[in-house]
Amino acid sequence: MYKKVLLLSMCLLAISLQAQDLTFEEYNPISTLVVPGAIVNKAKFPFIDVHGHQYQMPTQDLAPVIAAMDTLNMGIMVNLSGRSGESLQKSVQNIADHYPNRFVVFANIDFEGVGSMGWTEKTVAQLEKDVQHGARGLKIYKSLGLRYKDTNGKRLAVDDPRLDPIWALCGKLGIPVLIHTADPKSFWDEFNGDNERWLELKTRPNRKRAADNPAPWETLIAEQHRMFKKHPNTTFINAHMGWYANNLPKLSQLLDEMPNMNVGIGAIIAELGRQPRQAKSFFIKYQDRILFGKDSWKPEEFPTYFRVLESDDEYFPYHKKYHAFWPMYGLDLPDEVLKKVYYKNALRIVPGLDKTLFPE
């Protein structure tokens, strides 16, 4: 009997020690807080996702995507991965043949070869053709500023003057430029217990950058802002709120300085959901310059966005712990603000969208 009791005590001690030795990744407690609230599976109003990605659009069956869009109340998806030339034309044709008013594509640019003879002229001419063939805007990936080099092996800055004709053409043609520059600043910061993105950097170490890899974060962001200011007649949509969703006072200052800059909320809803009062005030003040976007195509993650924007719920979970280990709170935005964020701003900024899919 004594041996059995001793063995049981040792087992309980081992379990207790194991529980005390949990890692941060393993510790994911179930909240005991009881508050009213409910998951919002479908947006209150039809919406436009200005930051969508469908990489196989030239050949894919779009019916499953449409089915998921309908469950979410998504009226139109902007596919930012439109590429260029023949590939873009095939995407446009696939849309026209099957769901002509539910998708649009943005063109992309390959920045390899900047500095070679005639590169700028050829690129501008191709972009103009892409717009003639159905592109409704231009999407710039973060590789501009981070990865591309010119023919002399020098890092290609976001505001390199050899790219100016591209931004000027977009202004002339009346198409927006949706641009993603850099990544969250925490990726450049020290990888230690003070870094709010510690879990993300631990689980995805390839996202960590040295302070000057390939340039300081502040340098990349400053390049983008100089480019915006240099082209006041071109409309820019700054993806991911320009990585200032965690500093809305600074973002307010930037919006005031650059009236041609708008912001998309893709992949930063976790920042907004932890500061509901400040974020709500920001959305009301800048309601004409914020556009809905999700980024990755994961329909099961959209309800978090709807709940943050629409509800007044408290302390509900986010869908990725490595993005946010904190709970969300609803902004409870007024209907008129919601309509602008969900579709009215996109209808004004992106040409050729079907307005009949949305209420007045």
Side-chain angles (χ1 to χ4, degrees):
M1 180 67 180
Y2 173 76
K3 290 183 178 180
K4 289 183 178 180
V5 172
L6 180 62
L7 180 61
L8 178 60
S9 299
M10 292 177 64
C11 289
L12 291 173
L13 177 61
I15 292 171
S16 176
L17 290 173
Q18 184 180 12
Q20 294 175 38
D21 198 31
L22 286 175
T23 65
F24 180 58
E25 299 95 309
E26 293 170 322
Y27 181 62
N28 196 27
I30 298 172
S31 175
T32 61
L33 184 67
V34 179
V35 288
I39 296 172
V40 182
N41 287 309
K42 188 173 186 177
K44 186 174 186 179
F45 302 107
F47 68 96
I48 297 167
D49 183 353
V50 300
H51 198 136
H53 290 289
Q54 295 294 325
Y55 298 101
Q56 306 302 320
M57 186 167 271
T59 57
Q60 78 184 93
D61 178 6
L62 297 174
V65 181
I66 286 289
M69 288 168 59
D70 288 343
T71 66
L72 300 170
N73 205 15
M74 185 190 300
I76 297 174
M77 178 189 291
V78 177
N79 179 19
L80 299 179
S81 307
R83 297 194 276 273
S84 182
E86 183 179 356
S87 180
L88 183 140
Q89 292 180 55
K90 287 182 178 178
S91 289
V92 171
Q93 191 61 53
N94 191 12
I95 295 168
D97 289 344
H98 298 99
Y99 301 98
N101 62 346
R102 301 295 300 278
F103 299 97
V104 296
V105 296
F106 276 27
N108 308 132
I109 288 176
D110 183 355
F111 290 98
E112 293 288 352
V114 173
S116 60
M117 183 69 69
W119 183 92
T120 299
E121 293 77 12
K122 287 185 290 187
T123 301
V124 167
Q126 181 60 55
L127 177 58
E128 191 157 20
K129 288 181 181 177
D130 288 340
V131 173
Q132 291 170 358
H133 292 145
R136 305 290 176 83
L138 176 64
K139 158 68 161 123
I140 302 298
Y141 290 95
K142 65 182 178 182
S143 47
L144 176 61
L146 289 179
R147 180 172 65 83
Y148 283 109
K149 296 181 179 180
D150 66 11
T151 52
N152 293 320
K154 182 181 178 182
R155 182 183 69 87
L156 188 62
V158 179
D159 63 339
D160 190 294
R162 291 168 291 190
L163 309 182
D164 283 342
I166 296 170
W167 321 129
L169 176 65
C170 292
K172 178 183 175 183
L173 297 178
I175 61 168
V177 178
L178 193 150
I179 180 169
H180 174 173
T181 300
D183 272 323
K185 185 181 182 300
S186 298
F187 290 5
W188 276 259
D189 293 339
E190 290 293 323
F191 180 41
N192 56 32
D194 294 329
N195 192 316
E196 205 168 39
R197 297 267 184 164
W198 178 89
L199 181 57
E200 182 171 3
L201 295 174
K202 184 178 186 220
T203 55
R204 289 159 175 77
N206 62 315
R207 297 184 181 181
K208 178 69 182 80
R209 292 182 178 274
D212 59 352
N213 176 19
W217 183 86
E218 293 83 358
T219 297
L220 296 162
I221 299 301
E223 290 172 357
Q224 184 200 68
H225 296 166
R226 284 197 299 270
M227 186 260 281
F228 290 171
K229 292 176 181 178
K230 191 174 182 180
H231 297 276
N233 296 322
T234 301
T235 299
F236 294 95
I237 303 170
N238 203 341
H240 315 300
M241 277 189 156
W243 301 121
Y244 277 110
N246 62 335
N247 188 349
L248 293 180
K250 176 63 175 180
L251 185 55
S252 297
Q253 174 193 332
L254 294 170
L255 285 165
D256 292 343
E257 290 176 2
M258 295 175 281
N260 60 328
M261 183 181 89
N262 305 274
V263 294
I265 64 171
I268 52 80
I269 198 70
E271 300 288 5
L272 303 174
R274 63 172 171 170
Q275 50 174 332
R277 289 186 292 276
Q278 180 169 235
K280 181 173 184 175
S281 296
F282 178 89
F283 269 69
I284 291 173
K285 182 176 181 180
Y286 297 101
Q287 59 187 270
D288 296 315
R289 303 184 52 195
I290 306 170
L291 294 88
F292 185 94
K294 168 65 176 64
D295 198 354
S296 61
W297 175 235
K298 294 185 177 180
E300 68 275 13
E301 294 179 355
F302 279 79
T304 302
Y305 283 70
F306 306 152
R307 194 173 182 184
V308 168
L309 296 175
E310 298 179 18
S311 81
D312 62 356
D313 292 353
E314 297 181 291
Y315 207 86
F316 54 90
Y318 183 66
H319 50 260
K320 287 179 182 176
K321 184 182 176 182
Y322 73 81
H323 266 180
F325 50 85
W326 51 83
M328 300 287 98
Y329 296 80
L331 275 57
D332 189 25
L333 293 176
D335 282 356
E336 190 52 40
V337 176
L338 273 175
K339 290 176 182 178
K340 289 181 178 180
V341 173
Y342 274 156
Y343 64 89
K344 286 188 175 183
N345 293 337
L347 290 176
R348 186 184 73 252
I349 291 171
V350 181
L353 302 183
D354 185 354
K355 296 182 179 180
T356 67
L357 298 174
F358 305 92
E360 291 294 328

